[in-house]
Amino acid sequence: MGRNEERRHRNDPGPLPGVPLKLTSGVGEHRGADGVLRRYLDPGATLFRAPTARRAVNTFVRERAGDLGTEGTDLREVAKEEHTSTLHVRYQQYHQDVPILGATLQMVADTGQAAVVQVENATEPDVSDAPDVTEAQAPDVVEKAALAPFQKGYESAAVVRDTLGYLRDTSRPPLPAADRPTASVALLKTGKRRPDGKLHLVHDLVVETSGPFEHFRVVVDAVGGNLLWIETAGRYVTATLNVYLPDPVTDSGLGTLSSLSTNDELKALAHEVQTDVSPADGNGKFHLAGPMCRCVDWDESGFAQPESASPPRFVFESHRANLGFLSANAYYWVDSFANYLKKLGNPQLNERMVAVDVDPQGAPTIDRSEWIGTTDPPRMRFDMKHVPGAADLGIIVHEYTHGVIQWLRPGATAPLEYEHSICDVMAGIYRDLFNREGHRRTETFPFDNNAQEAWSQDRRLDLTQRFDDPDFDTFPPDRRTSMLASALWQCYLGMGGASKNQPVRQKAADKLIKVLLAMVPRLAADTPKSKDNAVHLANICIAADTEVHGGLHKNVMRGAFVRQGLLPKPNIDVFIADSDRDTGEEPSGEGDPFWTSPDIWVRNELEGDDPDAGHQEPIMNQVNYLYVRVRNRGTDEAPAGSFTVETRRCDPGTGMTWPGSFKPISEKMTIQQPIPAGGSVRVGPFPWTPTIAGHECLIAVAHGADDPAVTATSGDPIPHDKLVRFDNNVGQRNVYPKPSILGGQTKFPMKLNGGPAATDGAWELDATAMPPDTQITIRTLSRIIKPSTLTNIEATEAGDVRTTLQMKGGDSALVEGFRLDANDEVSADVTIDFSHEAVHMKAYDLVTTQLQDHEVAGRLTIEITAVKDLSEWFFGNRNTHEVHIQTCPYWDQISDHSKEPYPRIELALAHGYNGCAYCLPQHNTG
């Protein structure tokens, strides 16, 4: 497909001009109570376009300044980042050369479409109540007010950072239910507890304390010199976990393990691993230090970090035997997780990640681990109370993810309300990659929150409570956190995380974590409404999938958020069934055949025909008529003219990609009648003249602004099986039922296709449905057979270019270990010498499955219908290219292998056969 064709299929706005693609419920413009445009979301990139993405941003900011409330304001560009497919620009508002804290305008543009796709506007349109900057108190007055609350309960306190800015006083940080280990509730209540809504000139300070160590954000009114509020700058998790590989409970499945477990119980669950550390110091000693982290004793525990002579070994039986085990465990998992994130290729994160100082034995009396991002370098400390935090992968990844969020939101002034949800699901997904037996997958912290010392019944990834529950406002923070984390976990499962195949789960993890990393910079500051914050995160998560994956998983994600009560069920949800059992859920069943859509069918005639009379096999070299049934599982009727249907075909094979492997059948058709809720409409006919004998793969796509198809939003090639399974707007039907007489022979050409990138491949051939006296012969390129391992299939003839393979009916064969380059094509000729014992008119399948990097890339079914009663059939002679009937005088001279049966004479003639001059003279052309 040419470049123009690809661009035509990207971000197709649908039949109605000026209507954005509703990839998520948040699409469109959202204004505040003051009438200011506060949020703009158009992930389909259909509305505000320009010649370049940069020009689109500039034009939007200029032309819509009135709507944004930025006319006459001092708005300065402070950051510009180009990602793979998006441009991010952040503006900071100033007043009298001083920044207004939190008053930012964030713009996101699709670079491929040169269109603005997201705007988050937190600017201050009215600064008339701002005090003059000259009224600010002297710095020593402000510092005195900031340090006064720390005179008691701390050994020392000092200001380590001071920012002068304006701040609209609209909210206060939430207070904890009980004293924290490093901060009492009384301390955090200090200051002016009721916000007055005014624009204050403030000093936004970071105060560092010792005895105990902590970082606090302290906000002081710069004019009056009075304290407004205090909050902890460190980011906590209310859990203490334990991790080995990945942790003792997950590894063993034993719910009896706890902080009381002995060294004898735990040492069997410790595994030796290898990783990199920095070179030895001047004394020849190695330390647990590297480019991503180092273990140091910076907190109050006083435990000297382990060191090793050459060769470096940090091997301890368990943390119960030696606390040095915690250092090795923390270093390994921080280093592993950080390097994993770097390989995902998020440019903003990779640019800002820095090495972290880790104290694995910190705070011996505190039951909280912590990320502290206000130090240089950032710090992590893990508690020692109950199960040590540094013994648990979940705690380590959770805390490190706080740092990831901080690196991705450099202009943020406060953590997100649902930040722990992101941290929890990141920890759960990463832990799942090492969960070999699938133990306790949905327990966020299985060892720390163990049965003996459980500290929360809510901190899980399988909560079913909904955000639209009438009692939602009474839910504790842990429950709300885990409800959103559970929805994100469902996204992971739907992307492939539910598979029993570890490589498939790995790809699902990569896909969702890439989305989360792209989502975080686009999140706006929290509002006072908890549910609104969660809904915003869900909408931006779907928009980020459009940025990263072209919207391939938008329906899977939307479904997860709908089930959790975050988003409403779509009013209009059209679909084309993938199989008789398909109800429109996404993805459709992994084990179900997605290439048998009952909603796509062919008829051979138009005049006088009943289009609903069922599928007919297409006749070559004459016009056939394709029909598509489009269903609506939504609650509202889809208006007439609001959806189109597009039909395409491709040559037989597996591993095809959209759109390059598919060619249009006929012009796109607008659905002229409404699609009733819970009902369906028939669309067509689409005229089609097939020219290739044998298998055809037919694709139909329903698309409209109210329910956009992935094909309209993705500019990247999409594996066709994922397109069909992940988007219920897309259906597929393969047409190739092949009749065969008993003992007859069927030949079938096909292709194995390479994906968008080079992959390691395997080819499964499942003939278990074939009678055992059937023989299957495959002739294909030697370059994929020579490096492969063959199971239940034998190479009978091997040449430099092509190799012949044979297998028997009743077996399942595997060719594994070859490599296909990007966009590679490997042809294969399949010959089936059919059984003499088959049952008349019974269908027998040969299912071929191609795998790329252990993941299914496509399936193709060759269906053979046994023909025993020959009286009403027509038979082509492959040698003479004539068609006969059983009463022909030359019938006995035709071998069974040469006879190709057809139920209708038209099909035989369409396949190039000429009528026999003796038994079918009326169809003989000489």
Side-chain angles (χ1 to χ4, degrees):
M1 174 176 286
R3 182 177 182 85
N4 290 338
E5 178 72 355
E6 289 189 10
R7 289 183 64 83
R8 185 177 71 81
H9 276 273
R10 176 162 167 74
N11 299 334
D12 185 345
L16 302 179
V19 178
L21 300 181
K22 294 181 182 177
L23 296 173
T24 178
S25 60
V27 165
E29 297 187 0
H30 303 270
R31 296 178 182 267
D34 54 1
V36 171
L37 177 60
R38 292 298 181 184
R39 178 170 295 155
Y40 171 97
L41 190 62
D42 178 24
T46 56
L47 297 184
F48 202 96
R49 296 187 176 184
T52 65
R54 179 75 247 197
R55 179 121 23 119
V57 169
N58 292 348
T59 305
F60 193 105
V61 173
R62 182 181 65 254
E63 292 185 356
R64 305 210 58 181
D67 293 326
L68 295 168
T70 56
E71 283 184 327
T73 63
D74 185 359
L75 202 62
R76 306 180 189 180
E77 182 178 320
V78 293
K80 182 186 76 169
E81 297 169 348
E82 292 194 22
H83 295 191
T84 304
S85 58
T86 55
L87 170 69
H88 292 233
V89 182
R90 181 161 55 90
Y91 299 86
Q92 171 68 57
Q93 184 179 355
Y94 283 74
H95 180 65
Q96 296 186 357
D97 268 345
V98 173
I100 302 177
L101 304 179
T104 60
L105 177 65
Q106 299 188 63
M107 308 287 298
V108 182
D110 183 317
T111 54
Q113 290 299 300
V116 173
V117 295
Q118 183 181 349
V119 179
E120 298 293 341
N121 179 18
T123 58
E124 290 284 346
D126 182 8
V127 294
S128 59
D129 60 341
D132 194 278
V133 71
T134 59
E135 298 176 32
Q137 297 270 6
D140 59 333
V141 175
V142 173
E143 182 170 312
K144 182 178 180 181
L147 297 179
F150 304 99
Q151 298 303 309
K152 294 182 179 180
Y154 299 88
E155 293 179 3
S156 66
V159 173
V160 295
R161 187 180 303 170
D162 183 1
T163 301
L164 179 67
Y166 287 96
L167 180 68
R168 179 70 68 182
D169 187 18
T170 58
S171 64
R172 290 289 180 270
L175 293 170
D179 288 348
R180 288 178 171 170
T182 58
S184 66
V185 174
L187 173 70
L188 299 176
K189 283 184 175 179
T190 307
K192 182 181 177 182
R193 291 310 301 166
R194 289 185 178 275
D196 59 15
K198 296 180 179 179
L199 195 61
H200 291 253
L201 182 65
V202 302
H203 281 271
D204 193 356
L205 308 108
V206 173
V207 172
E208 179 177 296
T209 63
S210 63
F213 176 90
E214 184 58 272
H215 270 203
F216 294 87
R217 182 189 182 199
V218 182
V219 180
V220 178
D221 188 295
V223 176
N226 53 301
L227 182 70
L228 294 182
W229 79 81
I230 299 175
E231 65 177 312
T232 53
R235 301 182 183 183
Y236 293 89
V237 59
T238 56
T240 51
L241 300 184
N242 183 342
V243 61
Y244 288 62
L245 193 61
D247 66 75
V249 173
T250 301
D251 192 8
S252 67
L254 297 174
T256 56
L257 298 176
S258 71
S259 65
L260 302 178
S261 297
T262 66
N263 179 55
D264 286 340
E265 292 177 284
L266 296 173
K267 67 181 182 181
L269 300 171
H271 301 265
E272 284 196 12
V273 294
Q274 292 181 321
T275 191
D276 295 331
V277 296
S278 297
D281 62 19
N283 297 318
K285 298 293 185 181
F286 291 89
H287 302 269
L288 289 168
M292 306 313 300
C293 66
R294 63 173 182 170
C295 290
V296 294
D297 177 35
W298 61 264
D299 205 16
E300 59 187 87
S301 66
F303 179 81
Q305 293 302 302
E307 59 184 19
S308 171
S310 183
R313 286 179 61 83
F314 300 90
V315 178
F316 311 97
E317 287 189 338
S318 76
H319 74 275
R320 292 303 303 269
N322 191 314
L323 293 181
F325 182 94
L326 299 175
S327 300
N329 203 58
Y331 176 82
Y332 177 74
W333 285 118
V334 170
D335 182 74
S336 297
F337 183 58
N339 281 293
Y340 165 75
L341 292 178
K342 287 180 73 71
K343 290 177 182 178
L344 296 182
N346 184 287
Q348 181 178 350
L349 178 62
N350 289 355
E351 179 183 346
R352 292 174 178 159
M353 290 175 76
V354 296
V356 178
D357 280 356
V358 178
D359 190 341
Q361 301 84 11
T365 61
I366 294 177
D367 194 15
R368 292 177 189 269
S369 296
E370 184 178 14
W371 165 271
I372 301 172
T374 47
T375 59
D376 188 14
R379 293 175 173 180
M380 298 170 68
R381 67 171 167 203
F382 296 99
D383 66 86
M384 292 288 293
K385 194 172 182 180
H386 303 305
V387 175
D392 184 273
L393 168 62
I395 287 289
I396 296 169
V397 171
H398 179 109
E399 293 303 332
Y400 191 85
T401 302
H402 280 304
V404 170
I405 295 171
Q406 179 176 318
W407 288 323
L408 290 173
R409 303 180 73 237
T413 58
L416 296 163
E417 178 182 358
Y418 288 96
E419 189 164 313
H420 287 309
S421 304
I422 303 171
C423 297
D424 279 5
V425 80
M426 290 272 264
I429 292 172
Y430 191 66
R431 179 173 65 90
D432 200 47
L433 301 181
F434 305 94
N435 189 353
R436 295 169 296 179
E437 302 299 328
H439 293 146
R440 303 172 180 270
R441 296 181 70 196
T442 57
E443 295 181 17
T444 311
F445 310 117
F447 190 43
D448 181 69
N449 196 22
N450 60 75
Q452 286 69 39
E453 299 160 322
W455 46 267
S456 174
Q457 299 299 317
D458 288 325
R459 212 62 176 271
R460 303 176 57 87
L461 297 173
D462 58 359
L463 294 192
T464 57
Q465 290 92 336
R466 296 170 56 92
F467 282 84
D468 54 6
D469 191 296
D471 296 326
F472 173 78
D473 290 336
T474 68
F475 290 170
D478 265 7
R479 185 174 303 168
R480 299 184 191 187
T481 287
S482 295
M483 286 164 58
L484 184 52
S486 295
L488 294 171
W489 175 260
Q490 288 299 316
C491 294
Y492 162 65
L493 296 181
M495 290 179 177
S499 174
K500 296 180 180 179
N501 189 329
Q502 198 279 335
V504 176
R505 295 200 305 275
Q506 176 74 64
K507 287 190 175 182
D510 295 350
K511 288 188 286 191
L512 182 57
I513 292 178
K514 284 182 179 179
V515 169
L516 295 176
L517 296 180
M519 172 194 74
V520 168
R522 299 173 64 165
L523 293 174
D526 286 333
T527 71
K529 296 183 178 180
S530 181
K531 181 182 176 181
D532 289 352
N533 297 331
V535 169
H536 172 61
L537 188 147
N539 280 321
I540 299 305
C541 194
I542 294 174
D545 181 71
T546 302
E547 171 188 337
V548 178
H549 302 301
L552 180 60
H553 311 102
K554 66 178 176 66
N555 291 335
V556 171
M557 300 174 81
R558 183 179 64 183
F561 295 138
V562 168
R563 288 190 294 273
Q564 210 78 41
L566 276 163
L567 301 180
K569 183 179 179 181
N571 294 339
I572 297 173
D573 186 0
V574 302
F575 76 99
I576 301 170
D578 292 344
S579 66
D580 288 330
R581 298 194 303 176
D582 187 17
T583 61
E585 289 291 335
E586 295 143 312
S588 55
E590 184 177 1
D592 292 339
F594 57 81
W595 57 90
T596 60
S597 173
D599 291 342
I600 302 172
W601 69 99
V602 175
R603 300 294 297 172
N604 301 141
E605 305 291 340
L606 183 62
E607 296 296 330
D609 185 53
D610 178 6
D612 292 323
H615 175 70
Q616 294 177 319
E617 285 311 305
I619 300 176
M620 283 179 54
N621 300 314
Q622 79 170 44
V623 178
N624 293 256
Y625 300 93
L626 180 68
Y627 293 88
V628 179
R629 185 166 302 282
V630 179
R631 305 172 186 268
N632 180 9
R633 64 198 294 261
T635 56
D636 291 354
E637 177 181 272
S642 60
F643 279 86
T644 61
V645 173
E646 175 184 12
T647 55
R648 293 196 169 213
R649 58 157 297 276
C650 75
D651 297 340
T654 56
M656 291 85 73
T657 56
W658 178 278
S661 300
F662 295 85
K663 300 177 178 61
I665 287 178
S666 58
E667 288 298 317
K668 187 184 301 183
M669 190 175 294
T670 299
I671 303 176
Q672 299 296 349
Q673 66 265 54
I675 312 173
S680 64
V681 298
R682 186 186 70 228
V683 186
F686 296 86
W688 167 47
T689 303
T691 58
I692 297 178
H695 176 94
E696 289 272 7
C697 173
L698 307 178
I699 292 281
V701 182
H703 167 66
D706 287 313
D707 185 10
V710 170
T711 56
T713 61
S714 175
D716 298 323
I718 304 174
H720 94 282
D721 63 304
K722 291 184 175 56
L723 174 67
V724 177
R725 288 189 61 239
F726 281 97
D727 191 353
N728 64 4
N729 294 50
V730 183
Q732 173 183 343
R733 180 163 192 159
N734 292 355
V735 288
Y736 187 83
K738 194 75 173 176
S740 179
I741 65 171
L742 305 192
Q745 188 179 77
T746 297
K747 294 186 177 181
F748 175 76
M750 64 169 295
K751 290 180 181 179
L752 301 178
N753 293 283
T759 56
D760 292 324
W763 189 19
E764 296 177 353
L765 298 111
D766 183 0
T768 54
M770 292 279 182
D773 62 331
T774 301
Q775 180 173 281
I776 298 141
T777 303
I778 300 167
R779 189 160 176 78
T780 189
L781 295 181
S782 298
R783 66 180 171 90
I784 74 165
I785 302 302
K786 289 179 179 179
S788 296
T789 300
L790 306 182
T791 303
N792 291 334
I793 191 167
E794 180 183 359
T796 58
E797 179 185 341
D800 292 337
V801 179
R802 298 183 74 83
T803 294
T804 301
L805 306 173
Q806 284 189 346
M807 65 176 291
K808 295 180 179 180
D811 284 343
S812 181
L814 178 64
V815 179
E816 184 176 27
F818 58 88
R819 188 165 181 82
L820 292 182
D821 294 331
N823 303 313
D824 202 351
E825 285 187 354
V826 174
S827 61
D829 295 317
V830 180
T831 301
I832 302 175
D833 292 305
F834 194 51
S835 167
H836 289 84
E837 306 298 330
V839 178
H840 178 58
M841 296 309 295
K842 180 177 178 180
Y844 297 86
D845 291 345
L846 169 66
V847 181
T848 71
T849 303
Q850 181 185 346
L851 293 94
Q852 296 173 349
D853 290 337
H854 306 281
E855 191 170 7
V856 173
R859 285 193 179 97
L860 186 149
T861 299
I862 304 170
E863 181 183 283
I864 293 181
T865 301
V867 178
K868 189 173 183 179
D869 182 358
L870 310 180
S871 59
E872 297 183 359
W873 288 71
F874 301 86
F875 297 86
N877 184 337
R878 294 190 181 96
N879 295 324
T880 65
H881 299 291
E882 291 182 328
V883 60
H884 305 264
I885 57 177
Q886 186 186 12
T887 57
C888 180
Y890 293 98
W891 175 258
D892 291 336
Q893 298 179 27
I894 307 171
S895 69
D896 287 345
H897 279 184
S898 297
K899 295 173 182 174
E900 185 170 8
Y902 292 94
R904 293 182 294 139
I905 185 62
E906 293 87 357
L907 288 175
L909 299 176
H911 280 77
Y913 288 100
N914 187 25
C916 171
Y918 294 93
C919 64
L920 293 170
Q922 69 273 33
H923 298 291
N924 181 267
T925 58

